[in-house]
């Protein structure tokens, strides 16, 4: 990727225990254009390599995530962010 960055995170359940096996999808912000998809590892971690831009992420696992929002919107990735 030309202007590459990473989006990383950890998915947890309502007890704050890590949640492995959760489907995580990355979309272009405000659109239904799927950019990438992955599944959390046993430690609940996920990672996407992205170009600078704005993204939405959805999380799919009804048993683990029934208590929390399953979407994060407007993640803005800009040059120089850590």
């Amino acid at each position: 990727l030309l202007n590459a960055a990473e989006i990383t995170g950890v998915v947890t359940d309502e007890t704050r225990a890590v949640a492995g096996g959760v489907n995580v999808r990355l979309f272009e912000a405000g659109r239904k254009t799927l950019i990438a998809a992955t599944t959390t590892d046993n430690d609940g971690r996920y990672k996407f390599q992205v170009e600078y831009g704005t993204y939405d992420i959805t999380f799919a696992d009804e048993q683990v995530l029934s208590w929390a929002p399953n979407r994060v919107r407007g993640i803005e990735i800009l040059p120089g962010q850590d």
Side-chain angles (χ1 to χ4, degrees):
L1 299 174
L2 183 58
N3 295 311
E6 287 185 353
I7 296 175
T8 62
V10 177
V11 176
T12 60
D13 67 13
E14 62 190 3
T15 67
R16 301 215 185 270
V18 296
V22 174
N23 295 316
V24 185
R25 294 182 292 173
L26 180 74
F27 295 89
E28 186 176 339
R31 298 188 171 189
K32 295 182 180 179
T33 305
L34 180 65
I35 304 295
T38 191
T39 302
T40 58
D41 64 15
N42 290 336
D43 295 320
R45 294 182 299 221
Y46 64 89
K47 176 171 63 173
F48 293 108
Q49 295 284 338
V50 298
E51 293 188 6
Y52 302 139
T54 306
Y55 300 93
D56 296 338
I57 296 179
T58 63
F59 305 91
D61 185 318
E62 292 182 20
Q63 291 180 332
V64 172
L65 301 172
S66 62
W67 62 277
N70 63 357
R71 179 182 304 265
V72 178
R73 294 182 183 179
I75 300 168
E76 195 169 25
I77 306 298
L78 301 171
Q81 287 179 320
D82 289 334

